[in-house]
Amino acid sequence: MKEQMMHVFEQRVLGIGMLFLLAILVGIKHAATGSILKDKPENNPWLWFVHVFNLFFLLVVNPAAAVVLTIRRMEAVDPTLLSLSASWLRSALEIGGIGLYIMGFLLMGWALMSLRDNYQAGGSNPRACDEMVLAGPYALIRHPMYTGALCISLGLAFMVQSLILF
């Protein structure tokens, strides 16, 4: 029998925590922008594909991974899980992944709250009513929402040590 891969935190705790963070982010997005699925990039199929991929990752892959962790079936579902023999490395990846995951959600939520009504799907042309946002994370990072999404995806891959999620 394959040993349980997650040992810093129990899988069910991680799954429930992930669902909690996702619910908070959806609430922040709705509160900040007035919609969960707002706008779509115009006249550019590539930007539309990127937008759909980002939504798919945040609204399908993350919740699915959280549910699989919650029911303790990650080993049965993902054949690309790494089996690391060094427990210190496995623990370091898990802890680092959790940190990146949480940091990504915090950064994305902060960016959404800073944008508010100025939020549009990536690649959309600015509207006449849009203002340049230079406060919050935009004072520190040029693209905090993309950075947040990258932190979330890398954090998830490191947390569960999955090649397919990476």
Side-chain angles (χ1 to χ4, degrees):
M1 184 173 174
K2 196 173 189 181
E3 78 176 77
Q4 190 133 5
M5 299 304 287
M6 306 297 290
H7 66 55
V8 174
F9 290 99
E10 204 266 327
Q11 285 188 19
R12 181 168 284 167
V13 171
L14 285 176
I16 291 169
M18 288 168 61
L19 289 171
F20 180 72
L21 285 173
L22 286 163
I24 289 174
L25 186 62
V26 167
I28 288 172
K29 183 161 185 340
H30 188 273
T33 67
S35 173
I36 296 171
L37 303 172
K38 187 176 184 180
D39 296 332
K40 69 177 188 174
E42 298 173 11
N43 303 323
N44 190 330
W46 174 247
L47 288 175
W48 177 241
F49 171 77
V50 170
H51 183 66
V52 169
F53 178 80
N54 288 337
L55 287 174
F56 177 77
F57 183 78
L58 283 171
L59 299 177
V60 176
V61 173
N62 269 280
V67 168
V68 170
L69 282 170
T70 302
I71 62 173
R72 298 182 183 129
R73 295 285 185 249
M74 187 57 82
E75 290 84 8
V77 172
D78 188 351
T80 67
L81 289 177
L82 298 177
S83 182
L84 301 173
S85 57
S87 64
W88 67 268
L89 179 58
R90 186 173 57 230
S91 296
L93 284 173
E94 290 172 13
I95 292 168
I98 292 167
L100 274 173
Y101 196 77
I102 292 170
M103 186 175 73
F105 276 97
L106 292 173
L107 185 57
M108 192 169 285
W110 188 22
L112 285 166
M113 293 304 290
S114 297
L115 282 176
R116 297 221 174 256
D117 293 334
N118 293 309
Y119 173 79
Q120 290 191 92
S124 298
N125 292 325
R127 300 169 295 206
C129 63
D130 288 338
E131 298 174 8
M132 175 80 72
V133 177
L134 299 173
Y138 290 91
L140 307 170
I141 303 170
R142 184 174 183 142
H143 298 292
M145 290 185 62
Y146 290 131
T147 305
L150 181 62
C151 288
I152 290 168
S153 60
L154 287 176
L156 180 60
F158 291 161
M159 188 171 25
V160 298
Q161 290 133 41
S162 168
L163 292 177
I164 198 163
L165 289 176
F166 183 73

